[in-house]
Amino acid sequence: MHDLLLKGGSVLTHEGISVTDVAIANGRVAAIGSDLGEAGETIECGGAWVGPGFVDMHTHLREPGQEWKENIASGTAAAAAGGYTALLAMPNTDPPIDSAHLARYVSDQAFRARNAYVVSAGCLTMERAGERMAHLDELWDAGVRIFTDDGDTVQNASVLRAAMEYVAQLGGVVSQHAVDRDLSAAGFMHEGSISSRLGMQGIPREADDLTISRDIELARLTAVRYHVQHLSTARGVALVKAAKEDGLPVTAEVTPHHLMFDHGEVLSMDANYRMTPPLREPSDTAALIEGLRRGIIDVVATDHAPHAAVEKDVPFEQSMSGVTGLEWAASVVNGVVGLDQHDFFDRISIAPARIAGFTDHGQPLAEGAAGNIVVFDPDKRWTPSSTRSRSNNSPYLGRELTGKVRATLLDGVLTYAE
Amino acid sequence: MNHLLSTEHLDRSTLEELLDEAEGFAEVLTRPIPKVPALRGKTVATMFFEPSTRTRLSFEKAAKALSADTVSFSPGTSAISKGESLKDTALTIRAMGVDLIVVRHTATGAPWRLAEWLDIPIVNGGDGAHQHPTQALLDCLTIRQRFGSLDGLKIAIVGDIKHSRVARSDIFAMTTLGAEVILVGPPTLLPLDPEAWPVSVSHDLDSVIEEVDVVYLLRVQTERGGASVFPSLAEYATRFGMTPERFSRLKPEAVVMHPGPMNRGVEISYDVADDERALILEQVTNGVAARMAVLFRLLGGEHDA
Amino acid sequence: MRQVMSTEDLRRVTTRIAHEIVERNEGTNEVVIVGIPTRGRPFADRIARVLSDIEGREITAGSLDIGMYRDDLDTRPRTRIGPTEIPENIDGKTVVIADDVLFTGRTIRAALDALADLGRPGAVQLAVVVDRGHRQLPIRADFVGKNIPTAASERILVRFEEIDGEDGVWVDQGGDG
């Protein structure tokens, strides 16, 4: 007898997509097909997509050091509710993850919580200060494959070049929060008609584009695998496209909020629309959606960035930047971009797992493979009203979304069921 | 009208009513006892998160001339430095039994957030570089007293429009009342998208000086020395300052205005500032009357639906 | 609506009240007439005109806006501030307040407060076209055009040519009409 039967869903396997059943036993996929026999528990999957659990390569879990915003247990619980089985934790914690023992701490805490598999990204430079290389070898040995100073950009081209050379030799990925400090420092939102009307200092698109452009040239020089975080501009998409056409190992991600919103939302003055990079113009949003559809943008990443209410109950300009995303990212992408099942799972599970080097996640279902699975109903409309995160800084609360997670399995065990 | 946050969406009749009432209150201020009991028993709080002696005094004088009590809050003497959110601070002030809050804040939108969190009228006393609606009212009142109406007047607003809440408020109020507004300054001090505003733009003060009825000079942020936005204060004064020579080329009835505090010798020369056609002190006097009109409108009588 | 005073009645009581003012105050040298807007103002102007004829010199009435002195600002529809123009210093003078209808007395209470903020009159007197009763405060008029007992639900309409295009006084029964 199987432990669990996922019955009648549209199942993504290496062979393609078909409506069938999936049996789970001993934490693994026992069988795929019809008439699989008895199971301890059956989940009806009619009308839903069954595929590999979602993989987020840009999550801020805030632990260690900022547990009033989020901790690993609460962040991974939110991830499970959003269909995620694996996360790449960003290293801008306190202390930042610039040494091996800190990276191990994050994975160990996640292992105890049993909501999702978590690997930490490592800092590129010590204390994310952009000056000296972090303990890259030691981090690599602790399982770190992606290196980033996220939250900050490595501004010094010479420091970045050296770090890229080193990471290239290890076989890792340099992932960059690509924003020019001087052009963005005084700004709070996209520089454009809305910032002008509000008298708010803006951040021009060029703050992103100049850095992406520079980084791509340094990636060309150093042959490192380079990943652009949270694209926000149409020009950024074009730069990534050109780099790929040149054959460079460049990948890119986009967040749900940059797909769904533009700078017009800032007129509400609601601090939940303060992000870095900022929400830009409708033409940028359209280019990001098109880029994701065409695969120029490889990945949807949440940039799940919890902040406590006290950090958002302030004027826009004084608020912390960022919003939570794990619980609604799949719904937003599904509703806004409208990908088919294959491309949907590619962008939100398979591609991020490939870039992050997660072998037991983000694989089309196969007999004998680890039972890291999501059941996602692409047609269900719902309105989020609560969150499992410790923070509720989300512009999606109270908005109707299309597509909802029905169940999430981590190593064959339900971490979330509707 | 339940709050006064911006001039951007005030229609002409509301603006004119406020100016009419301000005229009435200007008369009250000339009485032997310049005070009426209209808001007796009400409490007006000023929450100024940015230092501003003159605006705060003006609001307090306006409240007192209406017999309201005033309490004032400033972050230097408060819990703000201890990490309290603006929302908690506002709820605390509200709980003390305050009937209206005048807020000034360095951050755009702070008054909107207060209006969202609290159930009492909020008056924007200036937010970031965004809006300063009572300044626009007193400016329009001053112009109307001089010319009878703003209809058809040509008004040049000169200087750092980009970072000016006074300009943002004046542009909407003045054009709604029928004036034509020309923004004058170097490109680094003009809005990015002037075509989206109901204004025309010039980089050359001399080319418009002879045709305008009002020259509204904005304060230059001398503390920054202008370094990043124009070459030097001296060059600014030469190209955009109201020098005696430029003043002599104005139409005979044209006037000069300034929101204060002035930098004599930079945006306005010493002599011009003291001329009868520089209405700077009239603006200050009218500030109290305009703010009385706003406070009375929001606290006197039933609120509009 | 029932007319209770005609144009001629209104003219006659204005003239009578002007004479009573002169008689009571032994002339008008120390008297200042102020009307309460809206309809106390034309009444004051008319009294002043008669006084000018009697005294043979130009006497002008003032205007006393009491909107800001009302004690019911919270509950009534929005009040607008109106002009206050007092033709001369009122310190030590006899101020005659003119209004159209004396009803609860609250308007006159507000007018007394407003006067106190303008100076220190030697005496204050009150002239009204109609006293309709229903006082809520210890206030009485010195000069009354006509006493008209009313029900509280009725309305008294005093109309002046200058404002309403016709002169006269009417009683409106109120009710459902």
Side-chain angles (χ1 to χ4, degrees), chain B residues 20 25 27-28 33 61 66 80 147 150 188 241 275 278-279 290:
Chain B
D20 290 345
F25 287 116
E27 182 268 314
V28 168
I33 298 177
K61 167 76 179 163
L66 290 165
I80 277 292
F147 293 93
L150 275 76
T188 47
D275 194 276
L279 306 183

Side-chain angles (χ1 to χ4, degrees), chain A residues 101-281:
Chain A
H101 68 283
L102 293 163
R104 289 200 185 92
Y105 170 83
V106 172
S107 295
D108 290 352
Q109 289 296 99
F111 185 76
R112 287 196 192 93
R114 296 189 185 280
N115 291 319
Y117 173 74
V118 177
V119 172
S120 186
C123 296
L124 209 46
T125 67
M126 287 305 289
E127 296 175 342
R128 301 170 51 244
E131 292 161 4
R132 293 181 297 122
M133 265 184 230
H135 297 296
L136 302 179
D137 280 321
E138 193 185 302
L139 287 163
W140 178 267
D141 292 342
V144 169
R145 294 294 176 268
I146 296 201
F147 298 88
T148 178
D149 280 359
D150 180 36
D152 284 311
T153 310
V154 181
Q155 299 288 343
N156 183 313
S158 178
V159 170
L160 180 63
R161 177 198 174 170
M164 280 181 162
E165 282 175 342
Y166 209 91
V167 171
Q169 160 269 140
L170 288 172
V173 176
V174 168
S175 172
Q176 180 88 295
H177 168 104
V179 181
D180 181 84
R181 180 178 51 206
D182 296 326
L183 279 176
S184 68
F188 305 99
M189 64 174 296
H190 171 63
E191 179 180 291
S193 57
I194 307 286
S195 70
S196 179
R197 186 56 59 99
L198 292 174
M200 225 187 269
Q201 196 75 25
I203 301 171
R205 293 185 180 97
E206 288 71 14
D208 297 28
D209 299 343
L210 283 173
T211 307
I212 294 168
S213 180
R214 176 199 73 169
D215 287 4
I216 286 172
E217 294 315 312
L218 291 177
R220 194 190 306 274
L221 176 68
T222 59
V224 75
R225 289 168 66 201
Y226 173 73
H227 179 76
V228 190
Q229 296 180 356
H230 39 53
L231 279 175
S232 73
T233 67
R235 180 76 190 131
V237 178
L239 288 166
V240 169
K241 179 168 181 278
K244 288 184 166 186
E245 284 166 0
D246 287 354
L248 299 177
V250 169
T251 54
E253 70 186 35
V254 63
T255 71
H257 40 276
H258 288 106
L259 292 169
M260 183 150 173
F261 302 119
D262 62 57
H263 67 155
E265 301 289 348
V266 181
L267 284 172
S268 71
M269 319 271 185
D270 184 339
N272 282 330
Y273 294 102
R274 172 134 192 238
M275 355 266 191
T276 311
L279 298 174
R280 299 204 183 270
E281 300 192 13

Side-chain angles (χ1 to χ4, degrees), chain B residues 17 21 24-25 27-28 31-33 35-38 42 296-297 299-302 304, chain C residues 65 68-69 73-84 109 113 116-119:
Chain B
E17 280 167 26
E21 303 235 323
F25 287 116
E27 182 268 314
V28 168
R31 292 181 192 170
I33 298 177
K35 182 167 179 158
V36 289
K42 305 280 189 189
F296 183 69
R297 173 90 176 208
L299 283 180
E302 294 177 328
D304 299 355
Chain C
D65 181 53
M68 299 297 107
Y69 290 83
L73 279 171
D74 267 353
T75 52
R76 52 183 286 120
R78 220 159 49 72
T79 305
R80 307 285 284 273
I81 186 166
T84 288
R109 197 275 315 150
D113 285 352
D117 282 352
L118 294 170

Side-chain angles (χ1 to χ4, degrees), chain C residues 156-171:
Chain C
I156 298 283
L157 300 172
V158 179
R159 302 169 74 106
F160 289 98
E161 176 85 40
E162 300 90 311
I163 294 169
D164 308 297
E166 59 181 337
D167 274 357
V169 179
W170 284 262
V171 177

Side-chain angles (χ1 to χ4, degrees), chain B residues 5-66:
Chain B
L5 302 177
S6 166
T7 58
E8 190 173 340
H9 303 295
L10 287 182
D11 58 30
R12 182 166 184 147
S13 66
T14 305
L15 273 171
E16 284 180 342
E17 280 167 26
L18 284 168
L19 294 183
D20 290 345
E21 303 235 323
E23 295 273 13
F25 287 116
E27 182 268 314
V28 168
L29 293 171
T30 65
R31 292 181 192 170
I33 298 177
K35 182 167 179 158
V36 289
L39 297 185
R40 204 161 43 188
K42 305 280 189 189
T43 301
V44 171
T46 54
M47 288 175 77
F48 274 42
F49 294 87
E50 181 186 279
S52 163
T53 310
R54 37 174 73 214
T55 304
R56 182 202 284 270
L57 281 177
S58 181
F59 270 110
E60 287 181 356
K61 167 76 179 163
K64 285 172 175 156
L66 290 165

